[in-house]
Amino acid sequence: MKLKSTLLGAAAAFAMAPMAMAERGADGQVNIIYWQAPSIMNPYLSGGTKDLEAGSLVIEPLARYDQDGNMVPWLVEEVPTVENGGVSEDLKSVTWKLKPGLLWSDGTPVTSADVKFSWEYCTAEGGGCAQSEKYNDVVDVETPDELTAIVKFGVSKPFPYGPFVGAQAPIIQAAQFADCLGPKAPECTDANFAPIGTGPFTVTDFRPNDVIQLAANEYYRDPAKPAFATVTFKGGGDATAAGRAVLETGEYDYAWNLQLAPDVLSNMASAGKGQIVSGFGTLVERIMVNFTNPDPALGEKRGTVGEPHPFLTDINVRKALSMAIDRELLVEIGYGDAGRPTCNVLPAPAIYASTANDGCLVQDIEGAKALLEDAGWVAGADGIRAKDGVRLSMLYQTSTNAVRQDFQALIKQWWGEIGIETELRNIDASVFFGSDPGSPDTFQKFFADVEMYANNFDGTDPESYMANWECKQAPQPENQWQGNNMPRFCDEDYDALVAKMAITGDINERAEMAKAMNDMLMQNYVMIPLVDRGRVSAHANTLGGVVLNTWDSELWNAADWHRTE
């Protein structure tokens, strides 16, 4: 890996980032609006991006990714490599050296014991850690002194930067979470809502699915940062209201994820109060296909791996669903220049992008009909296809958002043309992407036949991301319905590729394995990718220091934000 030169370049770029004002808190209040309201501040207990991003203002990883996807040190002196001696020659250990003098927001020292505890917390049995794939192959974390944490792997790891790197794998305070291991994790409300952290801000008030109040962390490692004394982080509403609040009324300083039609966004920007920022990364809008049966009549077995779906286990049905979709039209109505049609769940970086599935770019209604007919799915008097008494009738759910509802309406029409009946449902985004294991409406519980959303991953290496679809990643009651394998797909060959990539160092071989995993998911129609989405947000003209980052938390450099006038 040519990591050393990359890191040097990244460090230079980072050093040139706009700086905050000279006095902590001098710029008063900053207002942030996320129309998907955070429900928790602990990313280990949520797969929702909005929770991860809110939490990143408070808790941080050892290293993260900058706006160009380069890894940069954060709570450590440098990123360990083989060249600097931080990664062992056998690639089975990586040594992290904490910066001296780091303090938690309660004034106590940050030590290697906290690093070790963060691994123990996420891997505790019955805990349902949403980011457990970050700690694949870790067998121990040694702490020879208070500033040194040595991550030990059971295999050689050419890319050892899953643990403690990026906003999805932060360090949490051992003292605060000591009694929150395993099944107790969701019960620790105070810790989960107001974690003690090392980030620029601390939580002063948390109202789930509503508003978060934060204040500057008096123990933050840079005495001149953050420039803002307080933060109001408003959640809820919709993307239209969020966009207007920044671009038209100026009520808020930053609005995230403006998933709006291009003409709507353009009209808002013409008011002149703010500016739109955007960039492509790995964010893919997709339809996930449920391999399990979501029938409520199954009771506690509903949506579990032992209950196969009555018709989506037929690959012909899954393939027909994909063939019926016009992705070009979806991009046109939903995203314009901020989207492009895709047939892959892994669209970037370019070295990992497969061309083996590009046939999906052409809509084929007649071909989908013929495929279903040949598979024995015959249309009845009402036009809906059935086989052996099973009708092709589906519940299609997603979060509440104008663009997503437009997509649902079009896709329902296309599926109707091939003889599939579709009921549409939209759920408030704060609930859909929420972390409550008791809610029947979360995207992880997936009590529907298909569901639509988008997500991406930290950094530019897809090893941990592609591990999301290992068998063990299926959400189920035993893991508090956490995990990232929403379809409950399980294939030994896929799991073998995940394990093989974990011990492969050659970048070209890694790329081929990532493509192979992507192709396996695509060609089995485990999910149906629709749009490679650019990240679109907006900030006030008076908010300086904003550097859009599609490779990490969008709020990654909030410590550098400041008022320009």
Side-chain angles (χ1 to χ4, degrees), residues 154-177:
V155 295
S156 295
K157 295 282 284 189
F159 188 83
Y161 306 111
F164 317 122
V165 178
Q168 295 176 356
I171 307 305
I172 57 176
Q173 189 191 58
Q176 185 183 32
F177 286 88

Side-chain angles (χ1 to χ4, degrees), residues 163-239:
F164 317 122
V165 178
Q168 295 176 356
I171 307 305
I172 57 176
Q173 189 191 58
Q176 185 183 32
F177 286 88
D179 297 326
C180 305
L181 292 172
K184 295 180 180 179
E187 301 171 8
C188 292
T189 304
D190 290 346
N192 292 330
F193 285 179
I196 293 166
T198 57
F201 298 100
T202 63
V203 177
T204 56
D205 185 44
F206 184 89
R207 300 176 191 173
N209 302 325
D210 185 8
V211 66
I212 312 166
Q213 299 291 346
L214 305 102
N217 176 5
E218 64 177 306
Y219 295 105
Y220 188 63
R221 55 193 172 275
D222 187 328
K225 299 178 183 179
F228 291 106
T230 55
V231 180
T232 292
F233 192 118
K234 182 70 177 76
D238 55 47

Side-chain angles (χ1 to χ4, degrees), residues 385-531:
R385 296 180 183 273
K387 179 180 179 181
D388 300 329
V390 177
R391 296 176 82 247
L392 295 185
S393 181
M394 299 196 305
L395 174 61
Y396 172 11
Q397 71 179 20
T398 188
S399 62
T400 305
N401 170 267
V403 171
R404 285 191 168 136
Q405 271 68 82
D406 286 345
F407 276 28
Q408 280 184 304
L410 274 174
I411 292 170
K412 175 180 179 175
Q413 175 187 324
W414 293 326
W415 286 348
E417 291 178 29
I418 66 172
I420 297 176
E421 181 179 57
T422 307
E423 176 188 349
L424 302 180
R425 184 178 185 224
N426 65 82
I427 302 165
D428 182 272
S430 301
V431 176
F432 187 64
F433 296 112
S435 59
D436 181 2
S439 170
D441 297 323
T442 66
F443 76 129
Q444 288 174 305
K445 195 160 277 187
F446 197 179
F447 285 170
D449 301 290
V450 295
E451 64 180 3
M452 180 172 65
Y453 61 88
N455 70 6
N456 58 345
F457 58 94
D458 288 345
T460 57
D461 186 275
E463 180 184 317
S464 293
Y465 183 63
M466 299 313 290
N468 282 344
W469 295 284
E470 285 184 285
C471 298
K472 67 182 182 181
Q473 280 287 328
Q476 51 196 317
E478 292 77 13
N479 60 14
Q480 308 283 343
W481 293 101
Q482 295 290 352
N484 297 295
N485 183 357
M486 286 21 150
R488 283 65 151 163
F489 166 75
C490 185
D491 189 294
E492 290 181 359
D493 292 338
Y494 189 91
D495 285 11
L497 277 171
V498 171
K500 188 174 181 182
M501 186 176 181
I503 59 173
T504 299
D506 182 85
I507 186 64
N508 293 310
E509 290 181 24
R510 289 175 68 81
E512 290 307 310
M513 289 174 195
K515 288 179 184 178
M517 284 184 272
N518 173 87
D519 294 348
M520 188 179 295
L521 295 171
M522 299 304 96
Q523 291 162 22
N524 280 287
Y525 301 92
V526 175
M527 64 195 79
I528 302 170
L530 303 172
V531 180

